[in-house]
Amino acid sequence: MNVQNVLKEKQKIINEHLSALLVSDSPSHHTLYQAMNYSLLAGGKRIRPTLFLLVLDMLGVNSSLYLDIACAIECIHTYSLIHDDLPCMDNDDYRRGRLTNHKVFGPAMATLAGDGLLTYAFELLTSGSQISPIKQSRLVYILAKAAGPSGMVGGQAQDIESENRKQTVEELKFMDSCKTGCMLTSPVDMASVLADCEKTEYDALHSFSVHLGLLFQITDDLLDATSSLETMGKKAGQDEKLDKSTYVSELGIDGARQMAEKEASAAVEALNIFGEKAWALQGLIPYILNRKK
Amino acid sequence: MNVQNVLKEKQKIINEHLSALLVSDSPSHHTLYQAMNYSLLAGGKRIRPTLFLLVLDMLGVNSSLYLDIACAIECIHTYSLIHDDLPCMDNDDYRRGRLTNHKVFGPAMATLAGDGLLTYAFELLTSGSQISPIKQSRLVYILAKAAGPSGMVGGQAQDIESENRKQTVEELKFMDSCKTGCMLTSPVDMASVLADCEKTEYDALHSFSVHLGLLFQITDDLLDATSSLETMGKKAGQDEKLDKSTYVSELGIDGARQMAEKEASAAVEALNIFGEKAWALQGLIPYILNRKK
C-alpha cells in the first residue's frame, strides 16, 4: 500500500467518525450544531488526527479504538481556524474552498461554534470507557497545554502583535513552535502515551514531530507567497500584505525551501530507530514538503 | 461566623489564588497574559468557585486542597464574559465596573484571552497530583459538558437566536438551565465527586444547585430591568432594548419576584437532609435572592 492511499484511507475514517459526532440534543441548539458541523465537515487535510493514528499504527496499537481522540484533536484545530478567520482576527472570506463560518452564520454564532468545538474536545477525551483514567487525564493535559496560552493561543497572540514589525528567524521559530508546532507535536505525544512508549521511543517521536511542525510552517509561508486562492482554497499573499515576517521574507524563497528540506531530512532521521515500521510516517514528510495547499 | 464573612473570606482566598496563577512563560506572550489577567482579576462575586468550596467544606473535605479546581471554574466563567461582551456579541463597554476586555486590548486579543482561559481551565484540572486520575477525568467531563455546546455555549446560542422573538417561560427555563444553570450545577457536582458523595447526597446537592441556578437567572433578569450601570458595574436595561423574552417580560416584576422566592425556598428545602451542616450554603440563597449586582 502506498502512502497516498494510507492518507486517503485515514482521512475517510476520520471524516466518517466526525460526521457522526455532533448531533444536536435540542432544536434550540440546532443552528449552533449546524455551524460547528459546517466547519468540522468541510474537508481539509486532517493532518493532525492522521498523524495521531499513524503513530499508533506504527507502535502496534489498534488505532480504530481511538477515533474519538483523533476527532478531539481535529475539533481543536477546526475551532482555531474559525476564530482565526473572524472579522476581528484575519477577516478571511474563504477557508477550505468555501465561505468561512462567520460569512455563513455571522460572527457571533461563529465565535460560539469555535468555543463549542474547543470545549467539546475535552468532553470527547473523557467520555469513553476504553481508555484508563490515568491516560485520559494525561491526554487532556497534553492537549490543553498545546492548545492553550503557552501553546497555540500564545503563538496566535504573538502573531497578531508581530504585524508590521520585523521578527528574527529565532523569534519566528518560537512563534511557530507555539502556533503550529504544538498542535503537531501533541497528537504524537498523545499516541505515545496511549501506546505506553519507552522514553527513547517517546523522545524520537517527539523530535520527529518538532521537525515536522517546523516543516509545516515553512511550507505554509512558501504557499502563502507563491500560491493562489484557487489552489489553496483560502486567500494567498496575506503575509506580504500584512508586512509579516515569515521564513520567506527573512530567508527568501530559495532560503526557505532549503530550510524546509533540512527540516524534512531531520524528521526522517528522527524516525530511524523504528526502521521499516515507520514507512507511513516517513511518507508523510514529502507529502507535507511538496503540498500544494 | 456569619455568611457574609464566609463569602468574603472565600472571595479573598480565590482572588489570591487566581492572582498567582497565570504568569507569562515568555515575553512574546506578555500581552495575552495581561489580557487574561485583566478580566480574571477584575473582582466579581466568585459565586461559582465559592459554591464549589462551600460544598466541599460542608462535606468535611479540606477545600484548601482544591483551589486549582475552584480557579478552573472561574477561568471558564471569565472567558464566557469576555466573549459575551465582544462587539460581535453583546458589544458591551463595561463589566465588573470597568472597561470590557476588548475595549482595552482590542477584539482580536480579547477573543484569544477568552480562548486561552477556556483552554487553560482544562490544563489546571489535570496538572495537580493530589487528585486521583479517575476523579480528574470525571471533573474534566463534568466541566466540559457544562460549558460546551449542550450546556453554556448552547444556551448562549439560543439566547442570540431569541433576540426579537418571543420565548415561553418553558423555553426560557431550558435556555437558562444551559446558559447559567450548568455553570452553577457543575461546581456542585464536581465537589460531590471529590467528596465521594453517596447518591442521595449527590442528588440533594444537585437539586439545590438547579434551583439556585434558576434563582440566579431570575434575579439577573430583575436586576437588568430595575438596576443601573452604577450599581451593577455593567449596562442595565439591555434585555428590553433587545426585545428579549425574560422572566420579567413574561411574568412582570412581581411575578418574577414570586418565582425567585419559590426557587429560593426549593433550594433551601433540597439542603434539609444535611441539617445544620448546610448553614453556609443556606446563607448563599438569600445572598443571591437579594443581590444588587
Side-chain angles (χ1 to χ4, degrees):
Chain A
M1 204 175 196
N2 73 30
V3 169
Q4 288 292 335
N5 289 344
V6 172
L7 297 182
K8 265 192 205 147
E9 191 200 271
K10 293 295 182 204
Q11 275 178 7
K12 189 165 165 275
I13 293 169
I14 293 160
N15 286 338
E16 277 171 9
H17 204 78
L18 283 172
S19 67
L21 216 55
L22 278 164
V23 182
S24 170
D25 56 342
S26 142
S28 309
H29 300 168
H30 180 69
T31 312
L32 174 70
Y33 278 77
Q34 233 187 334
M36 291 192 294
N37 278 318
Y38 174 82
S39 293
L40 195 60
L41 308 179
K45 299 178 288 292
R46 314 299 190 198
I47 297 240
R48 291 152 194 83
T50 295
L51 190 55
F52 169 77
L53 297 175
L54 291 180
V55 174
L56 287 176
D57 287 346
M58 184 189 74
L59 296 169
V61 173
N62 181 355
S63 65
S64 70
L65 294 175
Y66 300 106
L67 291 173
D68 273 356
I69 310 300
C71 290
I73 294 167
E74 189 65 14
C75 284
I76 300 248
H77 176 58
T78 303
Y79 119 76
S80 76
L81 301 182
I82 297 174
H83 280 193
D84 282 6
D85 289 339
L86 283 171
C88 69
M89 306 279 280
D90 289 350
N91 195 20
D92 278 321
D93 293 348
Y94 289 94
R95 169 70 72 177
R96 290 173 171 174
R98 49 179 182 160
L99 286 172
T100 44
N101 200 290
H102 63 90
K103 280 284 177 189
V104 178
F105 296 96
M109 194 57 79
T111 304
L112 291 173
D115 293 342
L117 284 168
L118 169 54
T119 317
Y120 181 66
F122 295 103
E123 188 183 326
L124 258 186
L125 291 184
T126 48
S127 44
S129 59
Q130 76 274 46
I131 303 175
S132 71
I134 198 165
K135 284 184 181 171
Q136 278 185 343
S137 161
R138 190 85 198 119
L139 297 182
V140 170
Y141 182 78
I142 293 171
L143 196 55
K145 184 95 187 161
S150 62
M152 184 176 68
V153 172
Q156 198 58 33
Q158 184 178 346
D159 196 17
I160 286 176
E161 293 212 287
S162 72
E163 282 170 20
N164 306 312
R165 189 180 77 75
K166 276 266 166 245
Q167 290 200 100
T168 64
V169 170
E170 279 317 300
E171 285 175 310
L172 277 177
K173 273 190 176 177
F174 176 71
M175 180 176 85
D176 294 333
S177 73
C178 298
K179 201 181 68 152
T180 335
C182 283
M183 282 303 293
L184 286 158
T185 51
S186 56
V188 173
D189 292 344
M190 289 162 81
S192 297
V193 164
L194 285 170
D196 294 308
C197 263
E198 283 172 22
K199 188 161 181 343
T200 47
E201 290 187 327
Y202 181 94
D203 289 347
L205 280 165
H206 186 81
S207 164
F208 154 73
S209 69
V210 169
H211 292 298
L212 196 77
L214 199 45
L215 170 62
F216 193 87
Q217 188 58 50
I218 304 166
T219 53
D220 216 54
D221 290 355
L222 279 164
L223 285 171
D224 187 80
T226 60
S227 192
S228 66
L229 172 66
E230 289 67 37
T231 316
M232 285 174 75
K234 63 179 181 181
K235 230 191 274 176
Q238 290 302 90
D239 296 333
E240 202 182 338
K241 202 176 130 198
L242 293 167
D243 201 15
K244 270 190 194 175
S245 293
T246 67
Y247 297 107
V248 173
S249 75
E250 298 313 293
L251 304 171
I253 287 185
D254 287 346
R257 277 221 175 98
Q258 275 168 27
M259 189 176 166
E261 273 157 26
K262 221 181 97 195
E263 291 303 320
S265 302
V268 170
E269 204 173 313
L271 292 172
N272 275 347
I273 67 158
F274 298 102
E276 284 183 5
K277 280 197 304 177
W279 70 274
L281 285 176
Q282 301 273 21
L284 203 56
I285 299 163
Y287 172 79
I288 291 177
L289 181 63
N290 303 314
R291 72 202 176 102
K292 299 277 172 269
K293 62 178 181 177
Chain B
M1 204 174 197
N2 72 31
V3 170
Q4 289 291 336
N5 290 344
V6 172
L7 298 182
K8 265 192 206 146
E9 191 199 89
K10 293 296 183 203
Q11 277 178 7
K12 190 165 164 273
I13 294 169
I14 293 161
N15 287 338
E16 277 170 10
H17 204 78
L18 283 173
S19 67
L21 218 55
L22 278 163
V23 181
S24 170
D25 56 344
S26 142
S28 310
H29 300 167
H30 180 70
T31 313
L32 174 70
Y33 279 75
Q34 234 188 333
M36 291 192 294
N37 278 319
Y38 174 82
S39 293
L40 195 60
L41 309 180
K45 298 178 289 294
R46 313 300 190 196
I47 297 241
R48 293 153 193 83
T50 295
L51 190 55
F52 169 77
L53 297 176
L54 290 181
V55 173
L56 287 176
D57 287 345
M58 184 189 74
L59 296 169
V61 173
N62 181 356
S63 65
S64 69
L65 294 174
Y66 300 107
L67 291 173
D68 273 357
I69 311 299
C71 290
I73 294 167
E74 189 65 15
C75 284
I76 300 246
H77 176 59
T78 303
Y79 119 75
S80 77
L81 300 182
I82 297 175
H83 280 192
D84 282 8
D85 289 338
L86 284 171
C88 69
M89 306 280 277
D90 289 351
N91 195 19
D92 278 321
D93 294 348
Y94 290 94
R95 167 72 69 179
R96 291 174 170 173
R98 49 180 183 159
L99 286 171
T100 45
N101 200 289
H102 63 88
K103 280 284 176 185
V104 179
F105 297 95
M109 196 56 79
T111 304
L112 291 173
D115 293 344
L117 285 168
L118 168 54
T119 317
Y120 181 66
F122 295 103
E123 189 184 324
L124 258 186
L125 291 183
T126 49
S127 43
S129 59
Q130 76 276 44
I131 303 175
S132 71
I134 198 164
K135 284 184 181 171
Q136 278 185 343
S137 161
R138 190 84 200 120
L139 296 183
V140 170
Y141 182 78
I142 293 171
L143 196 55
K145 184 96 187 163
S150 62
M152 185 176 68
V153 172
Q156 197 57 35
Q158 183 178 347
D159 197 17
I160 286 176
E161 293 212 287
S162 72
E163 281 171 21
N164 306 311
R165 190 180 78 73
K166 275 264 165 249
Q167 290 200 100
T168 64
V169 170
E170 279 317 301
E171 284 174 311
L172 277 178
K173 274 190 176 178
F174 176 71
M175 181 176 85
D176 293 333
S177 73
C178 299
K179 201 182 70 153
T180 336
C182 284
M183 281 304 293
L184 287 158
T185 52
S186 55
V188 173
D189 292 346
M190 289 162 80
S192 298
V193 164
L194 285 170
D196 294 307
C197 264
E198 283 173 20
K199 190 166 179 341
T200 47
E201 291 187 325
Y202 180 94
D203 289 347
L205 279 165
H206 186 80
S207 164
F208 155 74
S209 69
V210 169
H211 292 298
L212 196 77
L214 199 45
L215 170 63
F216 193 86
Q217 187 59 49
I218 304 165
T219 53
D220 215 55
D221 290 355
L222 279 163
L223 284 172
D224 187 81
T226 60
S227 192
S228 66
L229 171 68
E230 288 67 38
T231 317
M232 285 174 74
K234 62 179 181 180
K235 231 191 274 178
Q238 291 302 91
D239 295 334
E240 202 182 338
K241 202 176 130 198
L242 293 167
D243 201 15
K244 271 191 193 174
S245 294
T246 68
Y247 296 107
V248 174
S249 75
E250 297 313 292
L251 305 170
I253 288 185
D254 287 347
R257 279 223 173 96
Q258 273 168 29
M259 189 176 165
E261 274 157 26
K262 223 180 96 194
E263 291 303 322
S265 303
V268 170
E269 204 174 311
L271 293 173
N272 276 347
I273 66 158
F274 299 102
E276 285 183 6
K277 279 196 305 177
W279 69 275
L281 286 176
Q282 302 273 20
L284 202 57
I285 299 162
Y287 173 78
I288 290 177
L289 181 63
N290 303 315
R291 70 200 176 103
K292 298 279 174 268
K293 61 178 182 176

